[in-house]
Amino acid sequence: MGKPEKECSTPTPITSGLGIFGKRPKTAGAGIETRQKKDNGVMDPPGSPSKRSRPRSRTFGSSKDKDVVTAPNSPTKRQKNGEDRFVKGKLLFPPHSTSAIPGIGPPSPAAVATLQPEEWVKWLKEAGRRKNFGHGLFAEDIEMPEYEKHMQDVEVAVIHKLRLVLRNETLRWVEAFTKLGGMEAIWTMLERVLGVEWREEHEDNILHELLLCLKGLCTASLALQKLAEMGSVIFPRLLDSLFDEEKKGPSEFTTRGIIISLLFVHLQTSPASQRPLRTRRILSYLADKKLDPKKRPLDFIEAAHVNRPYRRWCKEVVNVTKEVFWIFLHGSNTVPVLPPVSTSLSYAERNFPQERPPVPAAAHVGGVEWEATSYLAAHLDLLNGCVASLATREERNDLRTDLKNSGWERAMGGALRTCKEKLHTAVHEGLKTWVRAASEDEWYVGDVRFGPRVQHSRPASPVKPKKKKEDAPPRLELALDLGESRHRDKTPGLSAGWEY
């Protein structure tokens, strides 16, 4: 009897999840050789497990993706005893295919479909549950809130793959993901990360990737509507972690910048008729927390105080300038006044921050100074967007007054103005936008253009006057003869020295 011929498994065509034009963007595994030659020149069938397909690119095969758990149904990753490789305590990714795992891919992107949205949502909901708890303090007899210790059961590479899928998949796929509760599932996992008592590098990486997933969702209009509905929950929680006085928020400038850019996208994508209302809501998120009624001062004392509602927002910017203080050295910089734009446009269209072109690679791009100034530029864009979105001049000038009292003009003119314009152009573009919009509303811009005036700066400590030399106290000299002179004359040795 002849040997049975090998069955050639032909991939079934995929019809679900395709885009409008029947095409899908390339994902992991694209451009892989599906057949390899044997020594005798015979080609292996594409589904043969005897030969491992090797991708031409190492994009998803880098060292940072080596910790990803392989799929249970992968024929090339079986152990010697025939059992699948599982990691104890890990949330194994439950794909029906291997295309969703970095480092492993099917022979062709059309051979096996990517994970469906419901599978991603199911995994996110499972990963968002808190699993390990511990008390915040070592106290047994006192009821303390429970905090999560770590999130070692969640793989960073899987969330990174989700971010790539949200960025590269079709609009129909992203909308299906949103309808199935994908944004709520991402936020649930974000709440879990923020609930970790002492975050380490692993949790910080998860937080960074999840924030990028939220930003990637903002490319769909349905996701933007969902973000507007959940904004009263998402943004106050993220800003509280960002402005935390105990420094428990994200430490990297890039992660902090994603939070501010999400707020700016939330403002930028609002309809023109609803933009003033959304601006006031965003400003309420950025404002300081109101004091407890029991801790508030008396009414007549509170009425005498100057209103400074954005002190913690300004403090965040000032702290960044202190962390990279060595780049704010050019005190002679002057912010120019840009020429007026066509009056056919509205005030918001003329002065709302515009998208900047990409910056070419250079020696200073990518360093800590670049990340810090990019983060500061994101704050300036949000500030200029909020000012430009208000309807009347009175409202805009009232906001400028509160910002000035909170220290914003001192920070812009005293520190941000003094960075190098050729290297950190985004900061200076934000300052130019502020100066042009304020000049159009007849607001004084000298403190931002040239630096704070002397009378507006912090007063110096008073010079203590030098003490004058005091005259010696008067002495009363009386010539009294108490018989000492006679005794001195009779006593030998007292008048002319000692005699021996």
Side-chain angles (χ1 to χ4, degrees):
M1 295 178 63
K3 295 183 180 180
E5 297 181 357
K6 296 182 180 179
E7 295 180 2
C8 182
S9 58
T10 58
T12 57
I14 302 301
T15 57
S16 61
L18 296 181
I20 300 175
F21 301 99
K23 297 181 180 180
R24 298 171 65 100
K26 293 184 179 180
T27 54
I32 300 175
E33 293 290 344
T34 59
R35 300 189 179 185
Q36 296 180 354
K37 288 186 177 181
K38 289 185 176 180
D39 296 336
N40 55 3
V42 182
M43 300 289 291
D44 276 341
S48 174
S50 61
K51 288 291 185 177
R52 293 178 56 186
S53 59
R54 185 173 183 179
R56 295 177 180 175
S57 174
R58 296 181 60 186
T59 304
F60 297 112
S62 58
S63 59
K64 67 179 181 180
D65 296 334
K66 288 182 180 179
D67 297 334
V68 180
V69 181
T70 58
N73 59 349
S74 177
T76 60
K77 293 294 182 179
R78 299 284 184 179
Q79 296 292 335
K80 294 182 179 179
N81 55 2
E83 297 180 358
D84 295 327
R85 183 167 59 126
F86 293 98
V87 180
K88 186 177 181 181
K90 296 285 185 181
L91 266 178
L92 293 181
F93 197 50
H96 297 304
S97 64
T98 58
S99 62
I101 298 182
I104 309 170
S108 173
V112 182
T114 317
L115 270 179
Q116 297 302 316
E118 55 270 13
E119 295 175 305
W120 276 111
V121 174
K122 181 180 179 181
W123 182 84
L124 285 170
K125 289 180 179 179
E126 178 65 24
R129 297 176 184 174
R130 300 173 63 187
K131 295 176 176 57
N132 44 18
F133 301 97
H135 292 291
L137 298 176
F138 298 97
E140 298 179 357
D141 54 345
I142 303 177
E143 294 184 359
M144 298 296 296
E146 293 180 340
Y147 296 91
E148 192 163 4
K149 297 178 181 179
H150 56 77
M151 291 182 63
Q152 298 298 328
D153 58 320
V154 180
E155 293 289 341
V156 180
V158 178
I159 307 177
H160 175 73
K161 176 61 181 180
L162 174 60
R163 193 241 298 186
L164 297 179
V165 169
L166 291 174
R167 186 182 65 180
N168 298 327
E169 271 292 349
T170 60
L171 183 62
R172 185 181 301 175
W173 195 98
V174 177
E175 289 181 349
F177 178 83
T178 307
K179 290 179 181 178
L180 293 171
M183 183 172 288
E184 292 87 347
I186 292 176
W187 175 245
T188 302
M189 189 181 290
L190 270 171
E191 284 280 11
R192 183 187 174 189
V193 178
L194 296 175
V196 176
E197 186 178 9
W198 300 106
R199 288 198 309 273
E200 297 181 357
E201 184 179 0
H202 180 75
E203 287 77 20
D204 286 340
N205 292 335
I206 293 176
L207 176 62
H208 182 81
E209 294 294 338
L210 288 174
L211 289 173
L212 287 177
C213 288
L214 274 183
K215 190 174 180 180
L217 275 176
C218 292
T219 56
S221 58
L222 186 62
L224 290 173
Q225 296 176 7
K226 183 66 69 174
L227 183 65
E229 296 174 3
M230 302 175 59
S232 58
V233 178
I234 294 178
F235 293 124
R237 182 72 178 92
L238 292 177
L239 290 175
D240 288 344
S241 66
L242 186 66
F243 299 150
D244 189 12
E245 295 181 357
E246 298 180 0
K247 307 298 182 182
K248 292 185 178 180
S251 58
E252 298 293 334
F253 290 127
T254 52
T255 309
R256 296 192 224 174
I258 299 172
I259 299 176
I260 302 300
S261 61
L262 277 174
L263 269 173
F264 181 72
V265 170
H266 181 56
L267 174 65
Q268 187 182 26
T269 55
S270 61
S273 59
Q274 300 179 4
R275 187 169 289 182
L277 179 62
R278 187 168 294 186
T279 299
R280 297 188 190 95
R281 189 178 299 127
I282 291 176
L283 290 174
S284 67
Y285 302 153
L286 295 166
D288 299 345
K289 290 186 176 180
K290 294 183 179 180
L291 294 176
D292 189 14
K294 298 181 180 179
K295 298 181 180 180
R296 292 180 61 182
L298 299 176
D299 294 338
F300 70 93
I301 297 179
E302 189 175 6
H305 288 174
V306 178
N307 188 25
R308 296 181 176 91
Y310 306 107
R311 285 180 297 179
R312 67 170 187 169
W313 187 16
C314 179
K315 186 179 179 181
E316 172 68 15
V317 174
V318 173
N319 288 341
V320 176
T321 61
K322 292 179 180 179
E323 292 180 20
V324 287
F325 62 90
W326 58 88
I327 65 175
F328 301 101
L329 301 175
H330 306 276
S332 59
N333 286 349
T334 301
V335 180
V337 181
L338 297 177
V341 192
S342 174
T343 56
S344 60
L345 303 175
S346 62
Y347 182 90
E349 294 174 346
R350 293 195 302 269
N351 299 300
F352 199 87
Q354 303 297 323
E355 186 177 358
R356 301 185 184 93
V359 181
H364 64 280
V365 175
V368 61
E369 299 89 353
W370 176 263
E371 293 178 355
T373 51
S374 300
Y375 177 54
L376 294 174
H379 280 280
L380 288 177
D381 289 342
L382 181 60
L383 174 66
N384 292 326
C386 290
V387 173
S389 299
L390 296 177
T392 62
R393 176 181 295 184
E394 289 75 13
E395 292 177 343
R396 294 192 291 267
N397 286 338
D398 289 342
L399 176 58
R400 291 188 180 100
T401 302
D402 292 339
L403 292 170
K404 179 180 179 181
N405 294 336
S406 301
W408 261 100
E409 289 194 11
R410 178 190 299 276
M412 289 190 291
L416 303 185
R417 174 187 57 88
T418 59
C419 64
K420 188 69 173 178
E421 184 177 3
K422 293 182 179 180
L423 302 181
H424 311 290
T425 56
V427 174
H428 281 270
E429 288 179 4
L431 295 176
K432 292 175 186 178
T433 304
W434 190 93
V435 168
R436 181 178 61 188
S439 301
E440 191 171 340
D441 284 339
E442 299 180 357
W443 181 266
Y444 178 74
V445 296
D447 291 347
V448 177
R449 293 190 62 200
F450 311 105
R453 291 172 289 183
V454 177
Q455 56 267 27
H456 287 181
S457 60
R458 181 179 298 177
S461 59
V463 180
K464 297 180 179 180
K466 295 182 179 180
K467 293 183 179 180
K468 297 181 179 179
K469 293 183 179 180
E470 299 180 356
D471 299 334
R475 298 177 62 184
L476 184 61
E477 297 180 357
L478 299 176
L480 298 178
D481 189 4
L482 301 178
E484 295 179 358
S485 59
R486 288 178 294 174
H487 180 71
R488 188 181 298 114
D489 295 341
K490 294 179 181 181
T491 305
L494 293 179
S495 59
W498 294 96
E499 296 180 0
Y500 295 95

